[in-house]
Amino acid sequence: EAQVTQNPRYLITVTGKKLTVTCSQNMNHEYMSWYRQDPGLGLRQIYYSMNVEVTDKGDVPEGYKVSRKEKRNFPLILESPSPNQTSLYFCASSLFRADTEAFFGQGTRLTVV
Amino acid sequence: GQQVMQIPQYQHVQEGEDFTTYCNSSTTLSNIQWYKQRPGGHPVFLIQLVKSGEVKKQKRLTFQFGEAKKNSSLHITATQTTDVGTYFCALAGSYIPTFGRGTSLIVHP
């Protein structure tokens, strides 16, 4: 089954404790991205990757890091999480650029206390 | 970057009534996508519109792309409780898609 898998689904952590949210897709997609979703603000892109070893900032990259060492995986790293990073996070992949159908993961609800 | 305004933010309807959400941009769009997110779920792709004046239908859903390619709409005929969710438009003509803030549809049985 074609899918994007994120882990964990829920995470509560403390300020400053590094964490990684994993994302994996099995569709051989080149384009992957991370979004955060906050009430009233919709989906905002954090980082995207056009292919292995190619990543770039989205609209809200501050406080986040990503890596793309393999085509299927695109982890999101929070080196020093802060409460304003409490949000619902989605990973997405699409075949090529952003102007093709995006497949979203199930989401990760992160709470930073 | 491009900005997109989506209205209304919320819409309450009685089951069986029609529903429309609008997506507007101040600049010409290369294409536009629509997604649906059920409560507690993730966005799911519905459709992509590319051509000026394009109209596409999926059962009770009708998608339109304006002649000037600056606006788009999603119309649902005779809503059902299964239509509940948030509908997003997305400008996807670049490497950084811009999502509208979404319209949350609440259907009362």
PDB file of all heavy atoms in Angstrom, chain A residues 101-102 104, chain B residues 6 19 21 32-38 42-49 56-58 61-63 73-76 83 86-89:
ATOM      1  N   GLU A 101       0.309  15.780  -7.010  1.00  0.00           N
ATOM      2  CA  GLU A 101      -0.473  15.345  -5.859  1.00  0.00           C
ATOM      3  C   GLU A 101       0.418  15.024  -4.679  1.00  0.00           C
ATOM      4  O   GLU A 101       1.389  14.275  -4.801  1.00  0.00           O
ATOM      5  CB  GLU A 101      -1.278  14.108  -6.233  1.00  0.00           C
ATOM      6  CG  GLU A 101      -2.045  13.490  -5.073  1.00  0.00           C
ATOM      7  CD  GLU A 101      -2.763  12.232  -5.472  1.00  0.00           C
ATOM      8  OE1 GLU A 101      -2.749  11.894  -6.681  1.00  0.00           O
ATOM      9  OE2 GLU A 101      -3.329  11.571  -4.589  1.00  0.00           O
ATOM     10  N   ALA A 102       0.102  15.600  -3.533  1.00  0.00           N
ATOM     11  CA  ALA A 102       0.865  15.349  -2.316  1.00  0.00           C
ATOM     12  C   ALA A 102       0.167  14.291  -1.473  1.00  0.00           C
ATOM     13  O   ALA A 102      -1.052  14.317  -1.313  1.00  0.00           O
ATOM     14  CB  ALA A 102       1.036  16.625  -1.511  1.00  0.00           C
ATOM     15  N   PHE A 104       0.060  12.791   2.295  1.00  0.00           N
ATOM     16  CA  PHE A 104       0.412  13.202   3.649  1.00  0.00           C
ATOM     17  C   PHE A 104       0.489  12.007   4.596  1.00  0.00           C
ATOM     18  O   PHE A 104      -0.269  11.032   4.459  1.00  0.00           O
ATOM     19  CB  PHE A 104      -0.620  14.195   4.192  1.00  0.00           C
ATOM     20  CG  PHE A 104      -0.477  15.583   3.639  1.00  0.00           C
ATOM     21  CD1 PHE A 104      -0.965  15.899   2.383  1.00  0.00           C
ATOM     22  CD2 PHE A 104       0.148  16.579   4.378  1.00  0.00           C
ATOM     23  CE1 PHE A 104      -0.835  17.183   1.867  1.00  0.00           C
ATOM     24  CE2 PHE A 104       0.283  17.860   3.874  1.00  0.00           C
ATOM     25  CZ  PHE A 104      -0.208  18.164   2.625  1.00  0.00           C
TER      26      PHE A 104
ATOM     27  N   GLN B   6      -8.851  32.191   1.644  1.00  0.00           N
ATOM     28  CA  GLN B   6      -9.912  31.204   1.522  1.00  0.00           C
ATOM     29  C   GLN B   6     -11.058  31.604   2.432  1.00  0.00           C
ATOM     30  O   GLN B   6     -10.859  31.879   3.615  1.00  0.00           O
ATOM     31  CB  GLN B   6      -9.382  29.816   1.892  1.00  0.00           C
ATOM     32  CG  GLN B   6     -10.321  28.695   1.514  1.00  0.00           C
ATOM     33  CD  GLN B   6      -9.720  27.325   1.681  1.00  0.00           C
ATOM     34  OE1 GLN B   6      -8.538  27.167   1.991  1.00  0.00           O
ATOM     35  NE2 GLN B   6     -10.537  26.309   1.486  1.00  0.00           N
ATOM     36  N   PHE B  19     -23.000  23.644  -0.261  1.00  0.00           N
ATOM     37  CA  PHE B  19     -21.871  24.308   0.393  1.00  0.00           C
ATOM     38  C   PHE B  19     -20.864  24.755  -0.662  1.00  0.00           C
ATOM     39  O   PHE B  19     -20.632  24.053  -1.647  1.00  0.00           O
ATOM     40  CB  PHE B  19     -21.200  23.321   1.359  1.00  0.00           C
ATOM     41  CG  PHE B  19     -19.774  23.660   1.725  1.00  0.00           C
ATOM     42  CD1 PHE B  19     -19.501  24.651   2.653  1.00  0.00           C
ATOM     43  CD2 PHE B  19     -18.706  22.990   1.132  1.00  0.00           C
ATOM     44  CE1 PHE B  19     -18.190  24.958   2.993  1.00  0.00           C
ATOM     45  CE2 PHE B  19     -17.398  23.291   1.475  1.00  0.00           C
ATOM     46  CZ  PHE B  19     -17.142  24.275   2.392  1.00  0.00           C
ATOM     47  N   THR B  21     -16.937  26.802  -0.944  1.00  0.00           N
ATOM     48  CA  THR B  21     -15.782  27.497  -0.399  1.00  0.00           C
ATOM     49  C   THR B  21     -15.007  28.123  -1.546  1.00  0.00           C
ATOM     50  O   THR B  21     -14.945  27.558  -2.646  1.00  0.00           O
ATOM     51  CB  THR B  21     -14.876  26.561   0.433  1.00  0.00           C
ATOM     52  OG1 THR B  21     -13.687  27.263   0.820  1.00  0.00           O
ATOM     53  CG2 THR B  21     -14.476  25.306  -0.340  1.00  0.00           C
ATOM     54  N   ILE B  32      -3.999  25.041  -9.188  1.00  0.00           N
ATOM     55  CA  ILE B  32      -4.506  25.034  -7.820  1.00  0.00           C
ATOM     56  C   ILE B  32      -4.940  23.615  -7.471  1.00  0.00           C
ATOM     57  O   ILE B  32      -5.443  22.874  -8.326  1.00  0.00           O
ATOM     58  CB  ILE B  32      -5.663  26.042  -7.647  1.00  0.00           C
ATOM     59  CG1 ILE B  32      -5.930  26.275  -6.165  1.00  0.00           C
ATOM     60  CG2 ILE B  32      -6.918  25.570  -8.367  1.00  0.00           C
ATOM     61  CD1 ILE B  32      -6.678  27.568  -5.905  1.00  0.00           C
ATOM     62  N   GLN B  33      -4.686  23.245  -6.237  1.00  0.00           N
ATOM     63  CA  GLN B  33      -5.080  21.939  -5.751  1.00  0.00           C
ATOM     64  C   GLN B  33      -6.098  22.105  -4.623  1.00  0.00           C
ATOM     65  O   GLN B  33      -6.117  23.126  -3.941  1.00  0.00           O
ATOM     66  CB  GLN B  33      -3.866  21.174  -5.210  1.00  0.00           C
ATOM     67  CG  GLN B  33      -2.802  20.880  -6.250  1.00  0.00           C
ATOM     68  CD  GLN B  33      -1.573  20.237  -5.645  1.00  0.00           C
ATOM     69  OE1 GLN B  33      -1.324  20.327  -4.443  1.00  0.00           O
ATOM     70  NE2 GLN B  33      -0.769  19.589  -6.472  1.00  0.00           N
ATOM     71  N   TRP B  34      -6.909  21.083  -4.449  1.00  0.00           N
ATOM     72  CA  TRP B  34      -7.848  21.047  -3.330  1.00  0.00           C
ATOM     73  C   TRP B  34      -7.612  19.785  -2.511  1.00  0.00           C
ATOM     74  O   TRP B  34      -7.396  18.693  -3.076  1.00  0.00           O
ATOM     75  CB  TRP B  34      -9.292  21.079  -3.832  1.00  0.00           C
ATOM     76  CG  TRP B  34      -9.718  22.434  -4.316  1.00  0.00           C
ATOM     77  CD1 TRP B  34      -9.671  22.915  -5.591  1.00  0.00           C
ATOM     78  CD2 TRP B  34     -10.271  23.490  -3.520  1.00  0.00           C
ATOM     79  NE1 TRP B  34     -10.151  24.196  -5.636  1.00  0.00           N
ATOM     80  CE2 TRP B  34     -10.530  24.574  -4.384  1.00  0.00           C
ATOM     81  CE3 TRP B  34     -10.583  23.628  -2.158  1.00  0.00           C
ATOM     82  CZ2 TRP B  34     -11.080  25.783  -3.935  1.00  0.00           C
ATOM     83  CZ3 TRP B  34     -11.127  24.818  -1.719  1.00  0.00           C
ATOM     84  CH2 TRP B  34     -11.375  25.880  -2.598  1.00  0.00           C
ATOM     85  N   TYR B  35      -7.657  19.955  -1.187  1.00  0.00           N
ATOM     86  CA  TYR B  35      -7.483  18.850  -0.252  1.00  0.00           C
ATOM     87  C   TYR B  35      -8.624  18.864   0.765  1.00  0.00           C
ATOM     88  O   TYR B  35      -9.181  19.914   1.070  1.00  0.00           O
ATOM     89  CB  TYR B  35      -6.160  18.991   0.524  1.00  0.00           C
ATOM     90  CG  TYR B  35      -4.930  18.789  -0.318  1.00  0.00           C
ATOM     91  CD1 TYR B  35      -4.428  19.810  -1.116  1.00  0.00           C
ATOM     92  CD2 TYR B  35      -4.260  17.575  -0.325  1.00  0.00           C
ATOM     93  CE1 TYR B  35      -3.310  19.625  -1.897  1.00  0.00           C
ATOM     94  CE2 TYR B  35      -3.123  17.378  -1.099  1.00  0.00           C
ATOM     95  CZ  TYR B  35      -2.667  18.408  -1.883  1.00  0.00           C
ATOM     96  OH  TYR B  35      -1.538  18.215  -2.651  1.00  0.00           O
ATOM     97  N   LYS B  36      -8.901  17.666   1.298  1.00  0.00           N
ATOM     98  CA  LYS B  36      -9.881  17.544   2.368  1.00  0.00           C
ATOM     99  C   LYS B  36      -9.208  16.903   3.577  1.00  0.00           C
ATOM    100  O   LYS B  36      -8.463  15.925   3.436  1.00  0.00           O
ATOM    101  CB  LYS B  36     -11.071  16.679   1.943  1.00  0.00           C
ATOM    102  CG  LYS B  36     -12.084  16.448   3.069  1.00  0.00           C
ATOM    103  CD  LYS B  36     -13.196  15.507   2.658  1.00  0.00           C
ATOM    104  CE  LYS B  36     -14.154  15.265   3.802  1.00  0.00           C
ATOM    105  NZ  LYS B  36     -15.245  14.324   3.418  1.00  0.00           N
ATOM    106  N   GLN B  37      -9.493  17.466   4.741  1.00  0.00           N
ATOM    107  CA  GLN B  37      -8.960  16.911   5.983  1.00  0.00           C
ATOM    108  C   GLN B  37     -10.129  16.606   6.916  1.00  0.00           C
ATOM    109  O   GLN B  37     -10.805  17.524   7.382  1.00  0.00           O
ATOM    110  CB  GLN B  37      -7.982  17.886   6.651  1.00  0.00           C
ATOM    111  CG  GLN B  37      -7.323  17.346   7.901  1.00  0.00           C
ATOM    112  CD  GLN B  37      -6.314  18.332   8.480  1.00  0.00           C
ATOM    113  OE1 GLN B  37      -6.367  19.527   8.213  1.00  0.00           O
ATOM    114  NE2 GLN B  37      -5.381  17.846   9.288  1.00  0.00           N
ATOM    115  N   ARG B  38     -10.338  15.339   7.180  1.00  0.00           N
ATOM    116  CA  ARG B  38     -11.381  14.963   8.125  1.00  0.00           C
ATOM    117  C   ARG B  38     -10.923  15.303   9.538  1.00  0.00           C
ATOM    118  O   ARG B  38      -9.713  15.350   9.811  1.00  0.00           O
ATOM    119  CB  ARG B  38     -11.683  13.471   8.032  1.00  0.00           C
ATOM    120  CG  ARG B  38     -12.277  13.040   6.714  1.00  0.00           C
ATOM    121  CD  ARG B  38     -12.576  11.549   6.717  1.00  0.00           C
ATOM    122  NE  ARG B  38     -13.010  11.080   5.421  1.00  0.00           N
ATOM    123  CZ  ARG B  38     -14.265  11.128   5.006  1.00  0.00           C
ATOM    124  NH1 ARG B  38     -15.209  11.600   5.792  1.00  0.00           N
ATOM    125  NH2 ARG B  38     -14.578  10.680   3.801  1.00  0.00           N
ATOM    126  N   HIS B  42      -5.583  13.494   8.236  1.00  0.00           N
ATOM    127  CA  HIS B  42      -4.570  14.212   7.499  1.00  0.00           C
ATOM    128  C   HIS B  42      -5.155  14.693   6.179  1.00  0.00           C
ATOM    129  O   HIS B  42      -6.167  14.150   5.704  1.00  0.00           O
ATOM    130  CB  HIS B  42      -3.360  13.299   7.241  1.00  0.00           C
ATOM    131  CG  HIS B  42      -3.695  12.060   6.470  1.00  0.00           C
ATOM    132  ND1 HIS B  42      -4.259  10.949   7.056  1.00  0.00           N
ATOM    133  CD2 HIS B  42      -3.545  11.754   5.169  1.00  0.00           C
ATOM    134  CE1 HIS B  42      -4.440  10.017   6.159  1.00  0.00           C
ATOM    135  NE2 HIS B  42      -4.021  10.472   4.994  1.00  0.00           N
ATOM    136  N   PRO B  43      -4.556  15.715   5.564  1.00  0.00           N
ATOM    137  CA  PRO B  43      -5.076  16.186   4.279  1.00  0.00           C
ATOM    138  C   PRO B  43      -4.993  15.105   3.211  1.00  0.00           C
ATOM    139  O   PRO B  43      -3.990  14.395   3.112  1.00  0.00           O
ATOM    140  CB  PRO B  43      -4.147  17.367   3.944  1.00  0.00           C
ATOM    141  CG  PRO B  43      -3.600  17.806   5.260  1.00  0.00           C
ATOM    142  CD  PRO B  43      -3.453  16.547   6.065  1.00  0.00           C
ATOM    143  N   VAL B  44      -6.042  15.035   2.423  1.00  0.00           N
ATOM    144  CA  VAL B  44      -6.106  14.075   1.331  1.00  0.00           C
ATOM    145  C   VAL B  44      -6.391  14.834   0.055  1.00  0.00           C
ATOM    146  O   VAL B  44      -7.312  15.649  -0.009  1.00  0.00           O
ATOM    147  CB  VAL B  44      -7.206  13.015   1.572  1.00  0.00           C
ATOM    148  CG1 VAL B  44      -7.344  12.105   0.355  1.00  0.00           C
ATOM    149  CG2 VAL B  44      -6.889  12.192   2.804  1.00  0.00           C
ATOM    150  N   PHE B  45      -5.590  14.571  -0.954  1.00  0.00           N
ATOM    151  CA  PHE B  45      -5.717  15.252  -2.242  1.00  0.00           C
ATOM    152  C   PHE B  45      -7.065  14.941  -2.877  1.00  0.00           C
ATOM    153  O   PHE B  45      -7.504  13.785  -2.922  1.00  0.00           O
ATOM    154  CB  PHE B  45      -4.570  14.785  -3.144  1.00  0.00           C
ATOM    155  CG  PHE B  45      -4.598  15.330  -4.540  1.00  0.00           C
ATOM    156  CD1 PHE B  45      -4.061  16.570  -4.823  1.00  0.00           C
ATOM    157  CD2 PHE B  45      -5.151  14.588  -5.579  1.00  0.00           C
ATOM    158  CE1 PHE B  45      -4.066  17.065  -6.122  1.00  0.00           C
ATOM    159  CE2 PHE B  45      -5.163  15.064  -6.870  1.00  0.00           C
ATOM    160  CZ  PHE B  45      -4.618  16.307  -7.146  1.00  0.00           C
ATOM    161  N   LEU B  46      -7.712  16.003  -3.382  1.00  0.00           N
ATOM    162  CA  LEU B  46      -8.965  15.803  -4.111  1.00  0.00           C
ATOM    163  C   LEU B  46      -8.769  15.982  -5.608  1.00  0.00           C
ATOM    164  O   LEU B  46      -9.176  15.133  -6.403  1.00  0.00           O
ATOM    165  CB  LEU B  46     -10.021  16.804  -3.619  1.00  0.00           C
ATOM    166  CG  LEU B  46     -10.505  16.642  -2.170  1.00  0.00           C
ATOM    167  CD1 LEU B  46     -11.467  17.776  -1.812  1.00  0.00           C
ATOM    168  CD2 LEU B  46     -11.158  15.298  -1.963  1.00  0.00           C
ATOM    169  N   ILE B  47      -8.155  17.111  -5.985  1.00  0.00           N
ATOM    170  CA  ILE B  47      -8.083  17.412  -7.412  1.00  0.00           C
ATOM    171  C   ILE B  47      -7.072  18.517  -7.665  1.00  0.00           C
ATOM    172  O   ILE B  47      -6.714  19.254  -6.753  1.00  0.00           O
ATOM    173  CB  ILE B  47      -9.472  17.829  -7.936  1.00  0.00           C
ATOM    174  CG1 ILE B  47      -9.646  17.484  -9.406  1.00  0.00           C
ATOM    175  CG2 ILE B  47      -9.733  19.312  -7.662  1.00  0.00           C
ATOM    176  CD1 ILE B  47     -11.103  17.414  -9.808  1.00  0.00           C
ATOM    177  N   GLN B  48      -6.629  18.621  -8.910  1.00  0.00           N
ATOM    178  CA  GLN B  48      -5.790  19.731  -9.343  1.00  0.00           C
ATOM    179  C   GLN B  48      -6.416  20.352 -10.585  1.00  0.00           C
ATOM    180  O   GLN B  48      -6.839  19.645 -11.500  1.00  0.00           O
ATOM    181  CB  GLN B  48      -4.368  19.259  -9.649  1.00  0.00           C
ATOM    182  CG  GLN B  48      -3.465  20.361 -10.177  1.00  0.00           C
ATOM    183  CD  GLN B  48      -1.999  20.017 -10.124  1.00  0.00           C
ATOM    184  OE1 GLN B  48      -1.410  19.934  -9.053  1.00  0.00           O
ATOM    185  NE2 GLN B  48      -1.402  19.805 -11.284  1.00  0.00           N
ATOM    186  N   LEU B  49      -6.475  21.680 -10.607  1.00  0.00           N
ATOM    187  CA  LEU B  49      -6.992  22.420 -11.752  1.00  0.00           C
ATOM    188  C   LEU B  49      -5.843  23.191 -12.372  1.00  0.00           C
ATOM    189  O   LEU B  49      -5.039  23.792 -11.661  1.00  0.00           O
ATOM    190  CB  LEU B  49      -8.108  23.375 -11.319  1.00  0.00           C
ATOM    191  CG  LEU B  49      -9.280  22.732 -10.564  1.00  0.00           C
ATOM    192  CD1 LEU B  49     -10.223  23.817 -10.051  1.00  0.00           C
ATOM    193  CD2 LEU B  49     -10.018  21.757 -11.446  1.00  0.00           C
ATOM    194  N   LYS B  56     -14.326  20.728 -13.048  1.00  0.00           N
ATOM    195  CA  LYS B  56     -14.229  19.274 -12.875  1.00  0.00           C
ATOM    196  C   LYS B  56     -15.230  18.824 -11.825  1.00  0.00           C
ATOM    197  O   LYS B  56     -15.475  19.551 -10.857  1.00  0.00           O
ATOM    198  CB  LYS B  56     -12.822  18.858 -12.462  1.00  0.00           C
ATOM    199  CG  LYS B  56     -11.790  18.972 -13.564  1.00  0.00           C
ATOM    200  CD  LYS B  56     -10.476  18.358 -13.121  1.00  0.00           C
ATOM    201  CE  LYS B  56      -9.448  18.371 -14.240  1.00  0.00           C
ATOM    202  NZ  LYS B  56      -8.157  17.773 -13.817  1.00  0.00           N
ATOM    203  N   LYS B  57     -15.769  17.640 -12.016  1.00  0.00           N
ATOM    204  CA  LYS B  57     -16.750  17.125 -11.067  1.00  0.00           C
ATOM    205  C   LYS B  57     -16.306  15.772 -10.521  1.00  0.00           C
ATOM    206  O   LYS B  57     -15.750  14.941 -11.237  1.00  0.00           O
ATOM    207  CB  LYS B  57     -18.125  16.998 -11.733  1.00  0.00           C
ATOM    208  CG  LYS B  57     -18.746  18.317 -12.090  1.00  0.00           C
ATOM    209  CD  LYS B  57     -20.202  18.166 -12.516  1.00  0.00           C
ATOM    210  CE  LYS B  57     -20.819  19.531 -12.779  1.00  0.00           C
ATOM    211  NZ  LYS B  57     -22.261  19.456 -13.087  1.00  0.00           N
ATOM    212  N   GLN B  58     -16.593  15.592  -9.239  1.00  0.00           N
ATOM    213  CA  GLN B  58     -16.399  14.309  -8.585  1.00  0.00           C
ATOM    214  C   GLN B  58     -17.677  14.046  -7.795  1.00  0.00           C
ATOM    215  O   GLN B  58     -17.856  14.556  -6.703  1.00  0.00           O
ATOM    216  CB  GLN B  58     -15.202  14.325  -7.636  1.00  0.00           C
ATOM    217  CG  GLN B  58     -13.863  14.452  -8.294  1.00  0.00           C
ATOM    218  CD  GLN B  58     -12.733  14.500  -7.279  1.00  0.00           C
ATOM    219  OE1 GLN B  58     -12.944  14.614  -6.072  1.00  0.00           O
ATOM    220  NE2 GLN B  58     -11.493  14.434  -7.755  1.00  0.00           N
ATOM    221  N   LEU B  61     -19.239  16.851  -5.825  1.00  0.00           N
ATOM    222  CA  LEU B  61     -18.283  17.952  -5.709  1.00  0.00           C
ATOM    223  C   LEU B  61     -17.999  18.536  -7.089  1.00  0.00           C
ATOM    224  O   LEU B  61     -17.727  17.804  -8.042  1.00  0.00           O
ATOM    225  CB  LEU B  61     -16.972  17.453  -5.096  1.00  0.00           C
ATOM    226  CG  LEU B  61     -16.878  17.332  -3.572  1.00  0.00           C
ATOM    227  CD1 LEU B  61     -17.882  16.334  -3.016  1.00  0.00           C
ATOM    228  CD2 LEU B  61     -15.474  16.966  -3.145  1.00  0.00           C
ATOM    229  N   THR B  62     -18.058  19.865  -7.170  1.00  0.00           N
ATOM    230  CA  THR B  62     -17.733  20.568  -8.406  1.00  0.00           C
ATOM    231  C   THR B  62     -16.634  21.565  -8.122  1.00  0.00           C
ATOM    232  O   THR B  62     -16.760  22.394  -7.224  1.00  0.00           O
ATOM    233  CB  THR B  62     -18.961  21.299  -8.984  1.00  0.00           C
ATOM    234  OG1 THR B  62     -20.014  20.358  -9.211  1.00  0.00           O
ATOM    235  CG2 THR B  62     -18.604  21.999 -10.293  1.00  0.00           C
ATOM    236  N   PHE B  63     -15.566  21.488  -8.891  1.00  0.00           N
ATOM    237  CA  PHE B  63     -14.409  22.359  -8.734  1.00  0.00           C
ATOM    238  C   PHE B  63     -14.328  23.271  -9.956  1.00  0.00           C
ATOM    239  O   PHE B  63     -14.472  22.823 -11.080  1.00  0.00           O
ATOM    240  CB  PHE B  63     -13.119  21.536  -8.649  1.00  0.00           C
ATOM    241  CG  PHE B  63     -13.124  20.513  -7.548  1.00  0.00           C
ATOM    242  CD1 PHE B  63     -13.685  19.259  -7.755  1.00  0.00           C
ATOM    243  CD2 PHE B  63     -12.551  20.797  -6.319  1.00  0.00           C
ATOM    244  CE1 PHE B  63     -13.693  18.304  -6.757  1.00  0.00           C
ATOM    245  CE2 PHE B  63     -12.547  19.843  -5.313  1.00  0.00           C
ATOM    246  CZ  PHE B  63     -13.119  18.603  -5.525  1.00  0.00           C
ATOM    247  N   SER B  73     -13.139  27.644  -6.784  1.00  0.00           N
ATOM    248  CA  SER B  73     -14.199  27.311  -5.840  1.00  0.00           C
ATOM    249  C   SER B  73     -14.436  25.810  -5.815  1.00  0.00           C
ATOM    250  O   SER B  73     -14.161  25.093  -6.780  1.00  0.00           O
ATOM    251  CB  SER B  73     -15.496  28.043  -6.193  1.00  0.00           C
ATOM    252  OG  SER B  73     -15.999  27.594  -7.432  1.00  0.00           O
ATOM    253  N   LEU B  74     -14.929  25.379  -4.666  1.00  0.00           N
ATOM    254  CA  LEU B  74     -15.362  23.994  -4.477  1.00  0.00           C
ATOM    255  C   LEU B  74     -16.806  24.042  -4.015  1.00  0.00           C
ATOM    256  O   LEU B  74     -17.108  24.702  -3.004  1.00  0.00           O
ATOM    257  CB  LEU B  74     -14.479  23.305  -3.433  1.00  0.00           C
ATOM    258  CG  LEU B  74     -15.042  22.066  -2.734  1.00  0.00           C
ATOM    259  CD1 LEU B  74     -15.383  20.981  -3.739  1.00  0.00           C
ATOM    260  CD2 LEU B  74     -14.064  21.551  -1.701  1.00  0.00           C
ATOM    261  N   HIS B  75     -17.679  23.391  -4.735  1.00  0.00           N
ATOM    262  CA  HIS B  75     -19.101  23.387  -4.409  1.00  0.00           C
ATOM    263  C   HIS B  75     -19.530  21.949  -4.141  1.00  0.00           C
ATOM    264  O   HIS B  75     -19.218  21.046  -4.925  1.00  0.00           O
ATOM    265  CB  HIS B  75     -19.908  23.969  -5.577  1.00  0.00           C
ATOM    266  CG  HIS B  75     -21.380  23.973  -5.342  1.00  0.00           C
ATOM    267  ND1 HIS B  75     -22.015  24.957  -4.617  1.00  0.00           N
ATOM    268  CD2 HIS B  75     -22.348  23.099  -5.722  1.00  0.00           C
ATOM    269  CE1 HIS B  75     -23.313  24.704  -4.577  1.00  0.00           C
ATOM    270  NE2 HIS B  75     -23.539  23.588  -5.234  1.00  0.00           N
ATOM    271  N   ILE B  76     -20.212  21.755  -3.025  1.00  0.00           N
ATOM    272  CA  ILE B  76     -20.761  20.442  -2.702  1.00  0.00           C
ATOM    273  C   ILE B  76     -22.283  20.539  -2.759  1.00  0.00           C
ATOM    274  O   ILE B  76     -22.887  21.385  -2.077  1.00  0.00           O
ATOM    275  CB  ILE B  76     -20.323  19.943  -1.319  1.00  0.00           C
ATOM    276  CG1 ILE B  76     -18.791  19.885  -1.239  1.00  0.00           C
ATOM    277  CG2 ILE B  76     -20.919  18.561  -1.039  1.00  0.00           C
ATOM    278  CD1 ILE B  76     -18.265  19.447   0.116  1.00  0.00           C
ATOM    279  N   ASP B  83     -19.362  14.580   4.566  1.00  0.00           N
ATOM    280  CA  ASP B  83     -18.619  15.695   3.981  1.00  0.00           C
ATOM    281  C   ASP B  83     -17.935  16.557   5.041  1.00  0.00           C
ATOM    282  O   ASP B  83     -17.171  17.465   4.705  1.00  0.00           O
ATOM    283  CB  ASP B  83     -19.562  16.588   3.165  1.00  0.00           C
ATOM    284  CG  ASP B  83     -20.135  15.869   1.963  1.00  0.00           C
ATOM    285  OD1 ASP B  83     -19.403  15.052   1.359  1.00  0.00           O
ATOM    286  OD2 ASP B  83     -21.310  16.118   1.634  1.00  0.00           O
ATOM    287  N   THR B  86     -12.323  19.852   6.905  1.00  0.00           N
ATOM    288  CA  THR B  86     -11.778  21.125   6.469  1.00  0.00           C
ATOM    289  C   THR B  86     -11.265  20.978   5.050  1.00  0.00           C
ATOM    290  O   THR B  86     -10.527  20.038   4.740  1.00  0.00           O
ATOM    291  CB  THR B  86     -10.642  21.582   7.408  1.00  0.00           C
ATOM    292  OG1 THR B  86     -11.157  21.709   8.730  1.00  0.00           O
ATOM    293  CG2 THR B  86     -10.088  22.928   6.965  1.00  0.00           C
ATOM    294  N   TYR B  87     -11.646  21.914   4.210  1.00  0.00           N
ATOM    295  CA  TYR B  87     -11.262  21.884   2.802  1.00  0.00           C
ATOM    296  C   TYR B  87     -10.220  22.977   2.564  1.00  0.00           C
ATOM    297  O   TYR B  87     -10.445  24.141   2.887  1.00  0.00           O
ATOM    298  CB  TYR B  87     -12.488  22.088   1.920  1.00  0.00           C
ATOM    299  CG  TYR B  87     -13.452  20.932   2.009  1.00  0.00           C
ATOM    300  CD1 TYR B  87     -14.394  20.879   3.032  1.00  0.00           C
ATOM    301  CD2 TYR B  87     -13.410  19.890   1.103  1.00  0.00           C
ATOM    302  CE1 TYR B  87     -15.273  19.803   3.144  1.00  0.00           C
ATOM    303  CE2 TYR B  87     -14.279  18.809   1.194  1.00  0.00           C
ATOM    304  CZ  TYR B  87     -15.199  18.778   2.221  1.00  0.00           C
ATOM    305  OH  TYR B  87     -16.060  17.708   2.329  1.00  0.00           O
ATOM    306  N   PHE B  88      -9.106  22.575   2.012  1.00  0.00           N
ATOM    307  CA  PHE B  88      -8.006  23.494   1.748  1.00  0.00           C
ATOM    308  C   PHE B  88      -7.776  23.622   0.254  1.00  0.00           C
ATOM    309  O   PHE B  88      -7.806  22.632  -0.473  1.00  0.00           O
ATOM    310  CB  PHE B  88      -6.688  22.969   2.341  1.00  0.00           C
ATOM    311  CG  PHE B  88      -6.632  22.921   3.830  1.00  0.00           C
ATOM    312  CD1 PHE B  88      -6.917  21.752   4.512  1.00  0.00           C
ATOM    313  CD2 PHE B  88      -6.259  24.045   4.556  1.00  0.00           C
ATOM    314  CE1 PHE B  88      -6.844  21.696   5.903  1.00  0.00           C
ATOM    315  CE2 PHE B  88      -6.180  23.998   5.938  1.00  0.00           C
ATOM    316  CZ  PHE B  88      -6.479  22.828   6.610  1.00  0.00           C
ATOM    317  N   CYS B  89      -7.491  24.850  -0.178  1.00  0.00           N
ATOM    318  CA  CYS B  89      -6.930  25.018  -1.506  1.00  0.00           C
ATOM    319  C   CYS B  89      -5.431  25.222  -1.339  1.00  0.00           C
ATOM    320  O   CYS B  89      -4.966  25.648  -0.284  1.00  0.00           O
ATOM    321  CB  CYS B  89      -7.554  26.199  -2.239  1.00  0.00           C
ATOM    322  SG  CYS B  89      -7.305  27.806  -1.441  1.00  0.00           S
TER     323      CYS B  89
END
